Amino acid sequence: MKYRTVVMYVEIGCFVSCLCGWILVSSTLPTEYWTFSEVGTVVLTTSNYYSNLWMDCISDTTGVSDCKYYPSMLALPVFLHACRALAVCAVITGFFGGVLTLIGMKCTKIGGTEIVNSRVTFSGAITYLASGGCGMITYSWWANRVITEFKNPNFRSQKFELGAAIFVGWGGSLLLICAGAVLAYLSGKEILPSCISSTQRPQRPVSYTTARTRRTYMMPPPSSRVTLVPPLYNKGMDGRTTRATNKTDQTLGRDSFV
């Protein structure tokens, strides 16, 4: 099997993995189970509390649930705003990474030459890495906050545990990072020789060309001297010059004799 065919199959596998990871990350945004808590001593009066980036919800054993969005956006902590921004950035960058990778893959043949396709694929891989990094930071930061509050003995408010959305987000972010790294390695391996060859090309010296001619005049170095070249003469004029000289010599000789 040729190397190009192997790379094409690997790119397809990485693209499918990144697409699945992006879907998993996107599915966690509307999911309510980022944090979960169960409060109650009797089965009939047990209440389940769960929340996410946008709302708080409560449900009881009868199956009735009620969700309420956060009342004020400006009153929210900076931590929640940062998590929202990172989660949205993970979804947006993952979408553009999929578009770039789909254009630059070898099996699609949408782009131009092989080098151009490799550069587009490399850009898509870097975008996928940024998406996975944003998602991993979001879920890890959220989990660290929940675990810290749960283990803090001085925290008197209601304590929560990690919900299912955090683990789903970790899995999707890990898929994005691993598949994006493989794509970046394969495409960067093809881009690097072309970049090295382009930088090692010999530079042409500076020249001055006259207009409407094919002659190229080079400026002399500062240390050289200008030498005068005698004018060219025609070969056919050599005999005439010699004859004229002989006649002059004959005339001078006759006059001197007289």
Side-chain angles (χ1 to χ4, degrees):
M1 188 178 293
K2 295 182 179 179
Y3 174 77
R4 188 179 184 279
T5 307
V6 174
V7 172
M8 182 179 66
Y9 287 140
V10 174
E11 284 182 351
I12 294 173
C14 292
F15 174 72
V16 173
S17 300
C18 289
L19 185 61
C20 294
W22 177 73
I23 292 174
L24 291 176
V25 171
S26 301
S27 65
T28 59
L29 265 70
T31 305
E32 293 87 2
Y33 289 92
W34 282 56
T35 54
F36 178 81
S37 178
E38 184 176 346
V39 179
T41 56
V42 184
V43 177
L44 296 177
T45 60
T46 302
S47 300
N48 298 324
Y49 295 91
Y50 47 94
S51 62
N52 63 354
L53 296 172
W54 321 101
M55 65 183 73
D56 287 326
C57 300
I58 183 174
S59 64
D60 53 15
T61 53
T62 60
V64 178
S65 61
D66 185 21
C67 295
K68 181 181 179 181
Y69 288 94
Y70 296 126
S72 176
M73 186 174 181
L74 297 178
L76 297 177
V78 179
F79 157 75
L80 193 57
H81 285 294
C83 287
R84 284 180 176 181
L86 288 173
V88 173
C89 288
V91 175
I92 294 175
T93 51
F95 172 77
F96 285 107
V99 172
L100 291 173
T101 307
L102 186 63
I103 293 175
M105 284 195 307
K106 298 184 182 301
C107 60
T108 56
K109 299 180 180 180
I110 299 177
T113 60
E114 293 288 337
I115 300 300
V116 174
N117 288 342
S118 299
R119 290 175 180 175
V120 175
T121 307
F122 184 77
S123 303
I126 296 300
T127 311
Y128 270 139
L129 288 175
S131 176
C134 291
M136 189 65 71
I137 292 172
T138 303
Y139 305 117
S140 300
W141 194 2
W142 186 281
N144 181 50
R145 180 73 174 266
V146 172
I147 294 173
T148 303
E149 291 179 352
F150 186 84
K151 292 184 177 181
N152 187 8
N154 299 322
F155 187 74
R156 299 301 179 184
S157 300
Q158 185 176 352
K159 296 184 178 181
F160 290 89
E161 298 180 7
L162 297 179
I166 300 298
F167 299 98
V168 173
W170 272 334
S173 301
L174 190 62
L175 281 176
L176 286 170
I177 292 174
C178 294
V182 175
L183 277 177
Y185 172 75
L186 292 177
S187 56
K189 191 176 180 181
E190 297 181 4
I191 295 173
L192 189 60
S194 63
C195 295
I196 294 176
S197 61
S198 62
T199 54
Q200 291 181 353
R201 290 177 182 175
Q203 297 182 356
R204 297 179 61 184
V206 180
S207 60
Y208 299 90
T209 309
T210 57
R212 297 183 181 179
T213 60
R214 296 183 179 178
R215 300 178 182 176
T216 302
Y217 296 93
M218 301 293 298
M219 293 187 65
S223 60
S224 62
R225 298 179 181 180
V226 179
T227 56
L228 298 177
V229 181
L232 300 177
Y233 62 90
N234 194 355
K235 234 177 182 183
M237 298 297 293
D238 191 9
R240 297 180 184 178
T241 307
T242 307
R243 292 174 185 174
T245 306
N246 293 337
K247 289 182 180 180
T248 305
D249 293 341
Q250 292 178 1
T251 305
L252 291 176
R254 189 187 304 168
D255 292 340
S256 61
F257 177 76
V258 173

